[in-house]
Every structure is written in structure tokens, then in C-alpha cells.
Amino acid sequence: MSSLSLRMAAPVLFVVLLLVATEAVTARVVSEERHCLSQSHTFKGLCFSSENCASVCKSEKFPGGQCQMHGASRKCFCKVVC
């Protein structure tokens, strides 16, 4: 290798490592977001399909929802980042 390519290798490696570290921190922050749950006000009956629950929650202006056990029955809970 020439001396020019060796001099360029260090800065390029530094930039690559910096980008990898930035992505790792960003992914960690996103994965650590907390979700608050609120029982759907319009979902009727037992919740067996999280897709249906999510659809109802979106109509209630929530970003999504999922079925969860609540006591002895499954209910639809809407999720929002809190």
C-alpha cells in the first residue's frame, strides 16, 4: 500500500465507526420508547384480532393497538408513545 492510501484509511475508518455508533445509539433510543395503553372506547366484544383492534384504535386517533388479557377476558388496548 502506498503512504497516501494508509493516510486515508484512518479517517475513513473513523467516519465508518462514527456512523455505526450513531446508528446503534439511535436504535437503542427508539427501542426504549415507552408505550402507554388506554382501553378502546369504541371496540365492542372480546378482542381476538390485534389487527381489528389496531384499526379501531387508529379511528380513535391512536397510532396502534393490541389485544390483551384484562381479568378473565381479552380487551382492545390502544397504544401511544408516552
Side-chain angles (χ1 to χ4, degrees), residues 19-74:
L19 289 172
V20 169
T22 302
E23 286 297 318
V25 169
T26 303
R28 184 174 179 191
V29 169
V30 169
S31 68
E32 290 181 357
E33 288 180 340
R34 291 182 172 237
H35 288 95
C36 293
L37 298 175
S38 174
Q39 188 174 344
S40 171
H41 295 288
T42 59
F43 191 92
K44 302 293 182 209
L46 295 177
C47 187
F48 292 109
S49 170
S50 287
E51 288 181 27
N52 289 343
C53 175
S55 177
V56 171
C57 287
K58 287 178 182 176
S59 74
E60 294 180 30
K61 307 296 185 219
F62 287 96
Q66 66 186 32
C67 298
Q68 288 192 345
M69 287 298 293
H70 187 263
S73 63
R74 293 178 56 86

